[in-house]
């Protein structure tokens, strides 16, 4: 009878150790965000508004850790049960990932609407606490924007100096207001433009993850068949 290929066995172990490590990092960071006393607000955004997403990350991290454990132990102990459980779990993740990608592509036009609804409560910005104004001001200077949703008008009659624009920047146009130049685009518009510009990178990362997952499926099924025929 054919034996178990040592190269596939240890490749499977190494692959799943990295898989388990990634799950540990995701789980650790998401739990910290969930329970940290200092994690109440980040960049003027209340973390509590994103608890469903954080809870989802906790679930994802936990699942990835369990799958990594099953893959590592299944490879080293040559356990058919663990390997088939790993295969089924990873296959489900791949299917969900592809489904999420398709749904994300179909719902991209609604992103701006969702973001606008989420940040309407911050308008007008000049009524927000000083800490929030400071955070937004730092963001405006960093990505060259003014206001959150509607541009400089979000600030009412108190447009901060962080909105001051440098004429001649073709990528970040200016507009003249009361004798001064301010950035024409809102910060949300700039962030959406950045997201669109980096879509190819996001697609590349998703494709790379899918390829790695397919290799994991192939390794686990090959090792399973070898153990079965041993």
């Amino acid at each position: 009878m054919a034996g178990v290929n040592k190269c596939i066995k240890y490749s499977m172990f190494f692959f799943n150790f990295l898989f388990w490590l990634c799950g540990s990092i995701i789980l650790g960071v998401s739990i910290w965000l969930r329970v940290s006393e200092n994690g109440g607000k980040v960049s003027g955004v209340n973390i509590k508004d994103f608890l469903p997403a954080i809870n989802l990350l906790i679930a994802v991290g936990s699942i990835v850790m369990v799958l990594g454990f099953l893959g590592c132990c299944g490879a080293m102990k040559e356990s058919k049960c663990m390997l088939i459980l790993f295969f089924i779990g990873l296959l489900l993740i791949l299917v969900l990932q592809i489904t999420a990608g398709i749904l994300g592509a179909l719902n991209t036009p609604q992103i701006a609407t969702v973001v606008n609804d989420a940040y309407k409560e911050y308008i007008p910005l000049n009524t927000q606490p000083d800490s929030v104004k400071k955070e937004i001001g730092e963001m405006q200077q960093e990505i060259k924007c003014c206001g959150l949703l509607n541009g400089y008008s979000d600030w009412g009659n108190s447009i901060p100096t962080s909105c001051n624009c440098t004429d001649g920047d073709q990528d970040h146009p200016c507009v003249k207001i009361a004798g001064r130049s301010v950035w024409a685009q809102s910060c949300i518009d700039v962030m959406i433009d950045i997201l669109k510009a980096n879509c190819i990178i996001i697609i590349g990362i998703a494709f790379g993850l899918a390829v790695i997952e397919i290799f994991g499926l192939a390794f686990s099924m090959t090792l399973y068949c070898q153990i079965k025929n041993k």
Side-chain angles (χ1 to χ4, degrees):
M1 302 293 286
V4 175
N5 187 298
K6 298 296 184 183
C7 180
I8 293 178
K9 177 178 177 177
Y10 288 108
S11 295
M12 179 75 180
F13 174 82
F14 180 71
F15 168 84
N16 282 285
F17 176 76
L18 293 178
F19 205 54
W20 176 86
L21 191 61
C22 288
S24 301
I25 294 171
I26 293 171
L27 183 61
V29 171
S30 55
I31 289 177
W32 176 80
L33 287 173
R34 186 71 171 77
V35 303
S36 175
E37 294 181 358
N38 298 321
K41 287 192 175 182
V42 177
S43 297
V45 178
N46 196 338
I47 290 297
K48 291 182 179 179
D49 295 337
F50 296 90
L51 284 183
I54 293 172
N55 291 336
L56 179 61
L57 282 177
I58 291 175
V60 169
S62 302
I63 292 170
V64 169
M65 280 187 67
V66 170
L67 285 178
F69 174 79
L70 287 173
C72 285
C73 291
M76 296 309 296
K77 292 181 175 295
E78 299 183 9
S79 169
K80 292 187 293 181
C81 180
M82 286 184 172
L83 287 173
I84 201 66
L85 286 174
F86 170 81
F87 179 88
I88 293 171
L90 192 58
L91 181 61
L92 287 174
I93 288 178
L94 181 60
V95 171
L96 290 173
Q97 184 176 314
I98 293 172
T99 304
I102 294 172
L103 292 176
L106 293 175
N107 292 298
T108 297
Q110 283 76 45
I111 291 177
T113 302
V114 173
V115 172
N116 286 343
D117 290 341
Y119 286 95
K120 276 181 180 177
E121 63 179 281
Y122 290 97
I123 309 302
L125 295 174
N126 54 8
T127 63
Q128 295 300 316
D130 290 340
S131 58
V132 175
K133 292 179 183 178
K134 181 181 177 182
E135 294 281 353
I136 295 174
E138 291 173 353
M139 178 174 64
Q140 289 176 156
Q141 288 181 318
E142 183 176 352
I143 64 175
K144 300 180 179 180
C145 59
C146 186
L148 282 178
L149 303 178
N150 309 302
Y152 64 87
S153 63
D154 287 348
W155 289 101
N157 296 322
S158 305
I159 303 174
T161 56
S162 57
C163 282
N164 289 351
C165 175
T166 304
D167 292 318
D169 190 335
Q170 296 180 351
D171 295 327
H172 301 86
C174 305
V175 61
K176 292 285 186 180
I177 301 294
R180 57 185 284 207
S181 294
V182 298
W183 304 115
Q185 284 185 292
S186 69
C187 292
I188 296 300
D189 286 342
V190 172
M191 286 189 283
I192 289 175
D193 287 344
I194 292 172
L195 180 62
K196 289 178 179 178
N198 289 280
C199 258
I200 190 69
I201 297 175
I202 296 171
I203 293 171
I205 292 173
F207 179 77
L209 287 174
V211 170
I212 292 172
E213 288 163 359
I214 290 170
F215 271 110
L217 291 172
F219 277 143
S220 61
M221 186 49 63
T222 301
L223 193 57
Y224 173 85
C225 293
Q226 288 183 354
I227 294 170
K228 185 178 180 180
N229 295 326
K230 185 177 178 180

